[in-house]
Amino acid sequence: MALAFAFEEAVLPPAAMPGQSALWLGRLALTDFRNYGRGELAVDRRPVVLTGPNGAGKTNLLEAISFLVPGRGLRQARLSEVDRVAGGERGGAWGVAATACRGDDAVEIGTGRDPSQAADGGRERRLVKINGAFAGGPSALAEHLAVIWLTPQMDRLFLDSAGARRRFLDRLVYGFDTDHAGRLARYEHALQERSQLLRQSGPNGWDAAWLGALEQQIAEGGVAVAAARRELIERLGQAVARGVGPFPQAALALDGAVEDWLAEMPALAVEDRFREQLAVDRLRDAESGGAHCGIHRSDLRVTHLARGLPAAQCSTGEQKALLIAILLAQARLQAAASGLAPIMLLDEIAAHLDATRRRALFDELLELGAQAWLTGTDEALFAELGAQAQFFTIRDARIEHQADS
């Protein structure tokens, strides 16, 4: 079975900042992705600025990069929704290929919707290739890239559902623990199996041994996920509390029964308590169709320290500044832990920042040595970056490189 894209021999551009180390893309290629029939650009490790009118395809390029790590991308889209549609006709299954670099080492990675799966419903599957060979699934991508992002849709994160904040938190955990995505997927799969089993028949017809085995899997996996989240929150919380330039200091905390238990007792004891609670809740969970207890109900709390307010009660501008502070602190932590700054996708980031914070953001990205991908409609907002960045104009899914001045 072939993917809907091909891996081509990459010609890597020279490193722009040889004294710094980072994760970066040397090449990005798209096939039948959103409004792109085919699109390709070669870049170096400097920040990448994409400007052009609304609807031209700037965010689509960021979304393509976001599929190079585990998850459903920055728009949380179904795989079939990403396929290109032109003139009412659907193209082939979409694909994204890239040259992923760690310092001066490079690997060819790619992903795309499985073309053997129907695009009009049913089960969807994402295929992954590493250096031309099929990998086990999207979780394999975490071994080669770390990507974090901020989009305008995330400006409402603190007002959004707890699920949105959990997804945000889990993406941050991926940057430190490449096994986190796999553990989370196994937990969710066992949770679904348990729900199906509980719905199949009444209590007298339940397979107690099967239920017990599933609840053991849920407890073990859930405690591992919760422990990874707690560790990240502790490290990241300390960094955000210190502040990043003119961006606000914040306090981070987790709300959740399993997380609370982990603060009180050893992990093995928490597994036992979680498993026992699942057994107690079987009848209620059978009626509700879910699970009353578990890490799938946890929530992230953020507080603006200077104002002493929950993030949800802050102004729109303050909430965006808090998000930027969290992502910059995360990037610092990843760079310190691995020696490699993550790739950062910052969609329409500059338009709503004042000049001081905009300059501070650019300075932080340059100091990190991160290959940040920044989009906007107004090129003038990025002028301060000058030759320290590389500029592209996007018009109707056409990518035009602007020569360095």
Side-chain angles (χ1 to χ4, degrees), residues 30 38 89 142 157 160 172 180 214 245 273 285 341 379 393:
L30 292 72
R38 287 192 62 85
E89 297 294 326
L157 182 71
D160 208 337
L172 299 183
H180 186 71
L214 286 173
R273 183 166 180 178
D285 291 347
E379 184 182 336
T393 301

Side-chain angles (χ1 to χ4, degrees), residues 206-294:
W206 287 338
D207 186 327
W210 189 6
L211 270 175
L214 286 173
E215 288 166 353
Q216 180 64 34
Q217 291 178 39
I218 292 168
E220 291 177 354
V223 170
V225 169
R229 288 174 176 172
R230 289 185 76 246
E231 182 179 356
L232 184 278
I233 286 294
E234 182 177 353
R235 297 169 67 184
L236 183 59
Q238 293 174 358
V240 179
R242 290 193 294 269
V244 181
F247 295 100
Q249 297 170 304
L252 309 183
L254 273 174
D255 276 340
V258 178
E259 290 82 2
D260 290 345
W261 296 338
L262 280 170
E264 300 170 355
M265 62 186 77
L268 289 176
V270 176
E271 286 181 13
D272 291 340
R273 183 166 180 178
F274 189 5
R275 186 184 64 252
E276 291 165 1
Q277 188 63 52
L278 288 167
V280 169
D281 289 342
R282 285 176 184 175
L283 188 58
R284 175 166 59 170
D285 291 347
E287 295 174 350
S288 66
H292 182 74
C293 179

Side-chain angles (χ1 to χ4, degrees), residues 58-369:
K58 303 183 300 295
T59 304
N60 293 343
L61 290 174
L62 301 195
E63 184 182 23
I65 297 171
S66 73
F67 275 113
L68 296 174
V69 291
R72 292 176 58 185
L74 58 79
R75 286 190 174 109
Q76 287 291 296
R78 287 178 54 87
L79 299 183
S80 58
E81 294 172 354
V82 182
D83 289 348
R84 180 173 180 261
V85 177
E89 297 294 326
R90 181 180 296 274
W94 64 268
V96 178
T99 303
C101 307
R102 288 175 174 257
D104 295 323
D105 296 327
V107 61
E108 296 298 321
I109 64 176
T111 187
R113 184 175 67 80
D114 185 346
S116 70
Q117 304 293 320
D120 56 355
R123 181 175 178 271
E124 295 184 328
R125 188 163 68 112
R126 184 148 72 97
L127 301 178
V128 172
K129 273 187 172 182
I130 308 293
N131 281 333
F134 283 105
S139 60
L141 294 166
E143 300 176 14
H144 302 282
L145 273 189
V147 181
I148 56 180
W149 58 77
L150 182 59
T151 69
Q153 290 72 28
M154 292 169 62
D155 289 352
R156 291 183 54 82
L157 182 71
F158 303 122
L159 303 174
D160 208 337
S161 67
R165 288 186 289 277
R166 283 194 301 273
R167 288 192 295 271
F168 172 76
L169 175 60
D170 286 327
R171 286 197 301 271
L172 299 183
V173 177
Y174 296 159
F176 294 96
D177 184 351
T178 58
D179 294 328
H180 186 71
R183 284 195 297 265
L184 193 58
R186 290 190 293 273
Y187 171 87
E188 292 172 347
H189 181 71
L191 205 64
Q192 291 171 0
E193 282 199 48
R194 174 178 179 268
S195 293
Q196 291 172 359
L197 184 60
L198 289 175
R199 289 196 303 267
Q200 283 175 359
S201 59
N204 294 332
W206 287 338
D207 186 327
W210 189 6
L211 270 175
L214 286 173
E215 288 166 353
Q216 180 64 34
Q217 291 178 39
I218 292 168
E220 291 177 354
V223 170
V225 169
R229 288 174 176 172
R230 289 185 76 246
E231 182 179 356
L232 184 278
I233 286 294
E234 182 177 353
R235 297 169 67 184
L236 183 59
Q238 293 174 358
V240 179
R242 290 193 294 269
V244 181
F247 295 100
Q249 297 170 304
L252 309 183
L254 273 174
D255 276 340
V258 178
E259 290 82 2
D260 290 345
W261 296 338
L262 280 170
E264 300 170 355
M265 62 186 77
L268 289 176
V270 176
E271 286 181 13
D272 291 340
R273 183 166 180 178
F274 189 5
R275 186 184 64 252
E276 291 165 1
Q277 188 63 52
L278 288 167
V280 169
D281 289 342
R282 285 176 184 175
L283 188 58
R284 175 166 59 170
D285 291 347
E287 295 174 350
S288 66
H292 182 74
C293 179
I295 57 154
H296 57 287
R297 294 186 177 273
S298 303
D299 199 359
L300 169 67
R301 288 192 290 109
V302 177
T303 302
H304 190 303
L305 285 177
R307 300 199 61 199
L309 284 177
Q313 297 179 22
C314 294
S315 70
T316 302
E318 288 172 328
Q319 290 183 35
K320 190 175 190 80
L322 284 166
L323 276 172
I324 293 173
I326 291 170
L327 288 188
L328 290 177
Q330 170 78 6
R332 283 184 176 185
L333 285 177
Q334 286 184 224
S338 67
L340 297 166
I343 291 173
M344 303 182 70
L345 310 178
L346 305 174
D347 193 21
E348 295 290 347
I349 191 66
H352 302 293
L353 294 178
D354 59 38
T356 299
R357 282 180 170 168
R358 189 164 59 243
R359 179 70 256 178
L361 172 64
F362 294 161
D363 287 344
E364 182 72 14
L365 296 176
L366 293 171
E367 183 179 342
L368 279 168

